Amino acid sequence: MLFSMFLNIILGIIGGIISSLIVSRVFLIQAEYLNQLKSVEHILKHMEYIRGMLFGIRKVLETDYDEDSRKRKETAERGYKSECEYYTNHKECRWIDAEALLRKMIKDTQDRASIMYEDIVKIHINDSSLVNLLQQMSAYTRKVNSLKDCNFALVDDLDRISNGIVEEYSTYKQLSTKQLVMSVLKDKVMIILYVSLVIIILGAVLAYFLGI
């Protein structure tokens, strides 16, 4: 009788300890998971900046293209013999150097892409879906940093890649609760705790039926 009482007390204490460890581990996994999401979203902010710069580059390209079209048309119509003669009659059109502006915008974009890549390298992610997203973002930064000149096709391609990354992350975020549950279920420490708790429960049931 005394042995049975002590056994039940011991089983209760061990079961309580394991239960508290399970709860603590769940909170730890949740905190780590949320930190991973926060880290990825920090990287995405860099990409949003780059997307904004690429939008600006597109507008400069469009403006420059329109200006070139007008210049060719008017040069043909009015018989200007040189570009210098055209600008002599349109001093207001040369208030900014489009090529110099594009070079600066590309440099600023690539500087941010380099910072984005450095941040990708620094963070620790163990979720396979997020790792895949980071790999895509890393490839995106390399593509941005490989730009020499910019044209509509390159801007469109980079937009397509970034849009795909954003959409994939949005889909992942919608399933974040499911992903968190899967992380908890697959965690090795949690598996050990589950097994230990099951053994404790089975031991208590067995002791009850054996009358120990």
Side-chain angles (χ1 to χ4, degrees):
M1 184 69 179
L2 185 61
F3 175 75
S4 176
M5 182 180 69
F6 276 114
L7 179 61
N8 288 332
I9 291 173
I10 291 171
L11 289 175
I13 292 172
I14 295 174
I17 292 172
I18 292 175
S19 296
S20 64
L21 288 174
I22 289 174
V23 173
S24 298
R25 185 65 183 174
V26 168
F27 279 114
L28 181 63
I29 293 171
Q30 182 186 35
E32 183 180 354
Y33 179 75
L34 293 175
N35 281 335
Q36 290 186 51
L37 290 182
K38 186 177 179 181
S39 297
V40 172
E41 287 171 0
H42 173 71
I43 302 297
L44 285 171
K45 287 179 181 178
H46 288 309
M47 195 171 73
E48 286 301 318
Y49 177 90
I50 292 171
R51 293 175 77 188
M53 290 297 295
L54 290 172
F55 178 80
I57 288 171
R58 173 187 286 280
K59 290 301 178 184
V60 172
L61 288 171
E62 289 174 352
T63 302
D64 195 40
Y65 177 81
D66 292 341
E67 175 61 25
D68 282 345
S69 297
R70 284 194 297 271
K71 184 171 65 177
R72 286 194 298 269
K73 182 180 178 181
E74 191 169 333
T75 297
E77 289 175 349
R78 300 198 177 186
Y80 295 136
K81 296 180 180 179
S82 66
E83 188 178 83
C84 182
E85 186 177 352
Y86 173 84
Y87 282 116
T88 299
N89 290 277
H90 295 80
K91 294 179 180 179
E92 77 285 354
C93 293
R94 208 163 190 178
W95 65 280
I96 190 167
D97 186 339
E99 289 186 7
L101 178 60
L102 277 174
R103 285 196 299 271
K104 183 173 188 318
M105 293 180 76
I106 290 172
K107 182 181 183 305
D108 289 346
T109 303
Q110 291 177 330
D111 287 345
R112 179 56 70 95
S114 297
I115 295 172
M116 178 177 168
Y117 179 77
E118 289 172 3
D119 285 349
I120 290 172
V121 172
K122 289 176 185 176
I123 64 175
H124 173 69
I125 301 291
N126 53 33
D127 182 274
S128 58
S129 297
L130 294 179
V131 168
N132 179 56
L133 273 171
L134 287 180
Q135 289 172 346
Q136 292 181 53
M137 287 189 274
S138 180
Y140 175 79
T141 62
R142 289 195 295 272
K143 195 171 184 68
V144 171
N145 280 325
S146 68
L147 291 177
K148 300 299 181 184
D149 296 309
C150 226
N151 55 52
F152 291 112
L154 288 172
V155 172
D156 287 342
D157 188 41
L158 288 169
D159 277 344
R160 178 187 58 78
I161 294 171
S162 62
N163 286 335
I165 292 172
V166 171
E167 288 175 10
E168 187 172 336
Y169 180 72
S170 296
T171 301
Y172 176 88
K173 191 75 180 291
Q174 291 172 1
L175 301 172
S176 59
T177 301
K178 180 182 177 181
Q179 298 293 341
L180 177 58
V181 171
M182 292 302 297
S183 297
V184 171
L185 294 176
K186 292 179 179 180
D187 184 69
K188 293 179 180 179
V189 175
M190 288 296 291
I191 292 172
I192 294 172
L193 292 173
Y194 296 147
V195 172
S196 300
L197 188 59
V198 169
I199 292 172
I200 296 292
I201 293 171
L202 289 176
V205 172
L206 184 63
Y208 174 77
F209 281 110
L210 293 178
I212 298 176

